[in-house]
């Protein structure tokens, strides 16, 4: 009763305020081509990224003088990238088309803030390449391929057929595309965060953080005094672009249902430019969803449970995890096992990693074989001799994909009863790399998926990463964790160089996508590759034969990528 | 004329040791086009390696057979997530097919990003460009793809450094017209007809 009485005045005030607001005149919204601004942005983005007009029809254009191009073939984003900053590919330069660049004059040579530009001696000043675009001149450039200085654009830039309304939407989008630097950027510092979840073992969290901090410290040590050089009046862009790195640790605790709130709290406390690495012992899903929603890049987290998506944008993973192993097994079976028609039986526990392996195998199965049969062993059930014998009897000649750990393999030799043609696939990841745990009797028919470098391969890369960790005083820890952070650091150094002063989150990812294939700086994976929209850097997984004895030799039966 | 041996000693030494004088491999690091050079055209001799690649349906394809025969072949090197060059090359292939359907030319694109460009990716790419039958998009192992690239003087260690290249095989003498630069359909048709006629 008392609660209602004390609440009443506040309620009354709120009601009165609401009433007042309803009678106040609403602020006028500037419409673009007849649409409210937010809708106009969405439609403009659809033209830019998807090549589709508001009507749903593809944009039409002409390239190289006489080649008709529909928006479904390639889009503005295809060449100018998602961020609009453009790219250099081989001999072809795609210029920036983001708001900050388009609607500012373009000077030849270094571009400075006006105060610095005023101090450039006249004989060094090569003048204006073109004045700032306006709505009208941008429309002329897009339709007729002429810039405001009267220069003709290369034939590789399409000439677009856009109605006035459609043009207005696109121009509105470009005006807002990477127009302001992203959060987490100051004149001196880039602020990054890294997610450390308490479900990862403490030793691993420490190893990861120590290595990442070592990278950040070495970046900040400034042996070439970039900050002092940047202070010079006519400092080169390379030095002006230098920023100190500030690393904030975002700890995530407890149940995953609470992670999003924790992440939002972290972000609100201190805006960051991007997330670097990260570590968790379980499902990365909540962090992935947060980054996707907030449009914050997350680069190469250490997780065996990535989110698998063909279209999500903001998180770059090392690999697809166990899913990739299942894919490799199924593809190998189809391609080289002579098994386009071999029935497939998947056996697994009811656990996430095993389920992912199975999902990968199902996704990659195809051809004329019947869909795979999935046998899920419940938690209490033992994978004993009768179980395997019954399975072999029920599926003679089948290929068995066992998404199980070493503990379930003791009696798996009984699968021999399925016949000599029957092969058994195992997951190197689920076995934690312990090929010796595979029963000797089973080994001749085993095909082991191995999602990383073969033993003995990449010794130089491992040595380089270990030496770096030692020299930086990273301390003891899993050398694989150190090696993955080394790879991340290697890539970041390249990215900072290429990004220059264009501190936009989307451009950060675009630049990463332009990275060349990595073989040297990757101790764990034989090859990491990148490209626009490619979000799983490791594309491969070997299938190997397992030798005899307590330290079995692993012999590759497939190339790194099974086509 | 008295010439001291000394000035020619290094060459003689090299010859004695059987050292080969290195020649620039065909197609290595193309020089940029001149200001008035729309594209560069040369005639080259290439031999396709004996490899099996996979097409957009995942079928194995013997490359040598695919590139041989009485029909002219148009060949380029692209990849599925390419940003600048490949869209124009592929729009060009698509338009060529539309403008000369009766030519029966074989169009072959080979990926330079075989790790990512699996058959599903190739198939979706061709569908985006409205490819008609006769245009194959091939992938394979990294080793085989690199062999093919080197054989055609198109190898680059970094796919971002690749350049616009269209090769046309002349059925007459089996040589290849090498076109360096981005061109329109009119130019491609002109070159195609010249190649078909052995010019």
């Amino acid at each position: 009763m008392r609660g209602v009485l004390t609440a009443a005045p506040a309620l009354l005030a709120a009601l009165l305020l609401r009433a007042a607001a309803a009678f106040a005149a609403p602020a006028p919204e500037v419409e673009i081509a007849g649409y409210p601004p937010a809708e106009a942005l969405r439609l403009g983005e659809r033209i830019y990224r998807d090549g589709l007009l508001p009507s749903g029809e593809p944009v039409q254009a002409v390239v190289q003088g006489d080649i008709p191009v529909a928006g479904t073939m390639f889009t503005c984003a295809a060449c100018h990238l998602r961020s609009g900053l453009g790219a250099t590919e081989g001999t072809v330069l795609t210029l920036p088309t983001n708001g900050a660049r388009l609607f500012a004059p373009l000077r030849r040579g270094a571009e400075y803030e006006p105060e610095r530009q005023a101090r450039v001696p006249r004989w060094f000043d090569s003048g204006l390449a073109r004045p700032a675009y306006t709505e009208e001149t941008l429309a002329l450039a897009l339709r007729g391929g002429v810039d405001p200085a009267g220069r003709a654009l290369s034939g590789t830039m399409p000439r677009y057929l856009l109605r006035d309304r459609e043009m207005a939407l696109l121009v509105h989008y470009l005006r807002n595309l990477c127009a302001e630097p992203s959060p987490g950027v100051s004149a001196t510092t880039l602020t990054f965060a890294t997610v450390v979840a308490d479900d990862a073992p403490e030793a691993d969290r420490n190893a990861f953080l120590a290595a990442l901090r070592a990278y950040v410290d070495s970046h900040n040590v400034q042996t070439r005094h970039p900050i002092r050089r940047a202070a010079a009046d006519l400092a080169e862009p390379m030095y002006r672009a230098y920023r100190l790195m500030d690393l904030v640790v975002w700890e995530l605790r407890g149940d995953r249902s609470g992670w999003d709130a924790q992440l939002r709290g972290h972000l609100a406390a201190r805006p960051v430019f991007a997330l670097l690495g990260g570590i968790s012992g379980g499902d990365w899903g909540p962090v992935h969803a947060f980054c996707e929603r907030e449009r914050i890049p997350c680069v190469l987290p250490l997780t065996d449970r990535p989110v698998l998506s063909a279209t999500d944008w903001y998180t770059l993973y090392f690999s697809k995890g166990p899913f990739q192993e299942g894919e490799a097994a199924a593809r190998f079976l189809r391609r080289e096992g002579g098994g386009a028609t071999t029935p497939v039986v998947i056996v697994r526990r009811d656990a996430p990693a095993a389920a992912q392996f199975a999902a990968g195998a199902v996704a990659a199965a195809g051809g004329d074989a019947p869909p795979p049969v999935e046998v899920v062993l419940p938690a209490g059930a033992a994978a004993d001799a009768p179980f395997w014998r019954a399975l072999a009897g029920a599926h003679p000649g089948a290929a068995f994909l066992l998404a199980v750990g070493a503990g379930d393999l003791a009696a798996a030799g009984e699968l021999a009863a399925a016949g000599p043609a029957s092969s058994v696939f195992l997951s190197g990841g689920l076995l934690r790399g312990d090929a010796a745990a595979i029963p000797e009797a089973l080994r001749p028919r085993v095909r082991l998926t191995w999602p990383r470098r073969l033993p003995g391969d990449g010794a130089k890369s491992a040595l380089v990463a270990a030496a770096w960790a030692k020299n930086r005083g990273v301390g003891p820890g899993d050398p694989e964790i150190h090696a993955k952070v080394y790879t991340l650091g290697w890539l970041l150094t390249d990215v900072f160089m290429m990004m220059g002063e264009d501190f936009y989150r989307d451009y950060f990812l675009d630049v990463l996508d332009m990275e060349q294939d990595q073989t040297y700086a990757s101790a764990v994976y034989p090859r990491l590759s990148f490209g626009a929209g490619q979000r799983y850097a490791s594309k491969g997984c070997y299938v190997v034969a397992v030798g005899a004895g307590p330290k079995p030799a692993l012999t590759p039966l497939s190339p790194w990528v099974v086509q | 004329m008295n010439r001291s041996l000394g000035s020619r000693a290094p060459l003689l030494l090299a010859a004695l040791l059987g050292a080969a004088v290195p020649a620039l491999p065909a197609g290595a690091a193309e020089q940029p086009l001149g200001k008035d050079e729309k594209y560069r055209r040369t005639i080259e001799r290439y031999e396709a390696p004996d490899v099996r690649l996979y097409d957009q349906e995942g079928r194995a394809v013997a490359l040598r057979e695919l590139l041989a025969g009485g029909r002219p072949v148009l060949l380029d090197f692209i990849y599925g997530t390419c940003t600048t060059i490949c869209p124009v090359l592929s729009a060009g292939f698509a338009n060529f097919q539309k403008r000369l359907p009766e030519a029966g030319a074989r169009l072959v694109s080979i990926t330079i990003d075989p790790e990512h460009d699996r058959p599903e990716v190739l198939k979706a790419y061709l569908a985006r460009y409205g490819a008609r039958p006769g245009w194959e998009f091939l992938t394979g192992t990294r080793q085989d793809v690199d062999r093919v690239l080197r054989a055609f003087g198109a190898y680059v260690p970094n796919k971002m450094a690749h350049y616009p290249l269209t090769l046309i095989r002349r059925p007459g003498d089996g040589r290849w017209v090498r076109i360096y630069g981005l061109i329109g359909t009119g130019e491609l048709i002109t070159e195609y007809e010249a190649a078909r006629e052995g010019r």
Side-chain angles (χ1 to χ4, degrees), chain B residues 5-26:
Chain B
L5 200 63
S7 64
R8 286 185 290 171
L11 266 178
L12 284 174
L13 190 62
L16 277 173
L17 293 174
V21 178
L24 205 61

Side-chain angles (χ1 to χ4, degrees), chain B residues 141-165:
Chain B
T141 65
R142 165 57 61 177
Q143 206 174 15
D144 285 345
V145 164
D146 279 357
R147 269 182 75 189
V148 175
L149 291 174
R150 284 185 210 274
F152 286 95
Y155 177 76
V156 282
N158 172 12
K159 66 182 186 277
M160 284 300 299
H162 87 124
Y163 41 84
L165 202 60

Side-chain angles (χ1 to χ4, degrees), chain A residues 285-503:
Chain A
V287 188
H288 177 108
F290 169 83
C291 290
E292 212 55 34
R293 190 185 68 231
E294 300 292 337
R295 293 182 283 164
I296 296 184
C298 178
V299 181
L300 298 176
L302 275 60
T303 171
D304 289 327
R305 303 268 305 279
V307 171
L308 302 177
S309 164
T311 51
D312 284 354
W313 192 260
Y314 283 91
T315 304
L316 171 66
Y317 293 101
F318 274 108
S319 85
K320 290 184 182 175
F323 186 94
Q324 199 151 324
E325 292 187 69
E327 276 186 325
R331 283 174 191 155
F332 181 85
L333 181 62
R334 254 176 54 207
R335 184 72 72 196
E336 266 129 301
T341 52
T342 307
V344 174
V345 178
I346 303 173
V347 180
R348 66 175 181 88
R349 288 284 177 188
D350 186 14
Q356 280 300 298
F357 182 96
V362 169
D368 302 318
V373 170
E374 220 172 308
V375 175
V376 184
L377 266 168
D384 54 15
F387 167 76
W388 294 115
R389 224 178 291 127
L391 201 66
H395 305 280
F400 295 94
L401 272 58
L402 309 184
V404 297
D408 283 328
L409 285 180
E414 298 287 336
L415 281 175
S422 172
S423 55
V424 174
F425 286 80
L426 292 170
S427 156
L430 290 172
L431 291 178
R432 305 204 175 287
D434 186 14
I438 303 172
E440 292 267 7
L442 198 58
R443 290 190 199 172
R445 61 179 65 221
V446 159
R447 306 284 174 256
L448 183 63
T449 54
W450 194 260
R452 42 187 302 134
R453 284 189 188 269
L454 295 165
D457 176 41
K460 197 184 339 180
S461 302
L463 182 65
V464 158
W468 170 82
K470 182 155 180 253
N471 286 335
R472 295 289 160 191
V474 170
D478 184 352
E480 224 183 85
I481 290 180
H482 293 165
K484 284 182 171 173
V485 175
Y486 181 84
T487 302
L488 171 61
W490 181 274
L491 293 167
L492 280 176
T493 301
D494 258 3
V495 168
F496 288 141
M497 250 190 338
M498 287 204 282
M499 200 167 58
E501 288 189 281
D502 294 311
F503 297 114

Side-chain angles (χ1 to χ4, degrees), chain A residues 34-348:
Chain A
Y35 297 99
E39 179 68 0
L41 259 183
R42 192 191 68 81
L43 290 169
E45 184 176 275
R46 208 158 153 245
I47 297 175
Y48 183 84
R49 281 191 195 166
D50 304 328
L52 295 174
L53 299 168
S55 63
E57 289 298 305
V59 175
Q60 299 294 332
V62 174
V63 80
Q64 293 302 139
D66 65 0
I67 304 176
V69 175
T72 38
M73 291 182 177
F74 64 89
T75 62
C76 314
C79 300
H80 290 277
L81 308 184
R82 185 143 156 148
S83 62
L85 266 294
T88 313
E89 190 175 303
T91 51
V92 183
L93 169 69
T94 305
L95 291 171
T97 189
N98 59 313
R101 292 289 184 94
L102 281 181
F103 296 95
L106 182 67
R107 308 198 73 85
R108 283 196 195 87
E111 291 105 293
Y112 299 111
E113 304 90 40
E115 323 80 63
R116 284 199 198 199
Q117 187 62 47
R119 291 199 284 275
V120 173
R122 209 145 39 123
W123 52 89
F124 282 141
D125 187 350
S126 40
L128 218 53
R130 61 148 175 84
Y133 274 97
T134 62
E135 273 219 38
E136 293 73 25
T137 56
L138 192 48
L140 277 172
L142 287 167
R143 285 185 175 124
V146 182
D147 85 348
R151 303 179 301 175
L153 301 178
S154 151
T156 307
M157 168 65 184
R159 296 351 184 204
Y160 284 91
L161 301 157
L162 290 168
R163 292 202 176 88
D164 287 349
R165 253 172 115 217
E166 296 155 351
M167 182 65 77
L169 291 169
L170 180 58
V171 169
H172 175 66
Y173 178 72
L174 293 176
R175 195 183 284 281
N176 288 282
L177 178 62
C178 288
E180 301 290 336
S182 292
V185 184
S186 79
T188 58
T189 307
L190 281 174
T191 305
F192 292 96
T194 188
V195 165
V196 177
D198 67 359
D199 66 353
E202 192 182 344
D204 289 352
R205 282 182 266 144
N206 292 341
F208 166 72
L209 275 176
L212 188 57
R213 284 184 171 129
Y215 173 76
V216 170
D217 289 346
S218 68
H219 172 97
N220 290 342
V221 84
Q222 305 175 60
T223 32
R224 302 193 72 218
H225 308 288
I227 290 184
R228 275 164 48 188
R229 291 179 192 240
D233 252 4
L234 303 181
E236 288 187 26
M238 177 172 79
Y239 296 112
R240 292 201 332 258
Y242 178 81
R243 294 294 187 277
L244 292 165
M245 285 176 79
D246 193 8
L247 182 68
V248 184
V249 178
W250 286 2
E251 287 181 6
L252 293 180
R253 297 199 170 89
D255 198 75
R256 267 166 175 73
S257 58
W259 280 18
D260 189 69
Q262 292 178 50
L263 287 163
R264 275 186 280 122
H266 284 305
L267 184 64
R270 185 103 173 269
V272 301
F273 182 69
L275 305 188
L276 303 179
I279 187 164
S280 160
D283 177 20
W284 192 257
V287 188
H288 177 108
F290 169 83
C291 290
E292 212 55 34
R293 190 185 68 231
E294 300 292 337
R295 293 182 283 164
I296 296 184
C298 178
V299 181
L300 298 176
L302 275 60
T303 171
D304 289 327
R305 303 268 305 279
V307 171
L308 302 177
S309 164
T311 51
D312 284 354
W313 192 260
Y314 283 91
T315 304
L316 171 66
Y317 293 101
F318 274 108
S319 85
K320 290 184 182 175
F323 186 94
Q324 199 151 324
E325 292 187 69
E327 276 186 325
R331 283 174 191 155
F332 181 85
L333 181 62
R334 254 176 54 207
R335 184 72 72 196
E336 266 129 301
T341 52
T342 307
V344 174
V345 178
I346 303 173
V347 180
R348 66 175 181 88

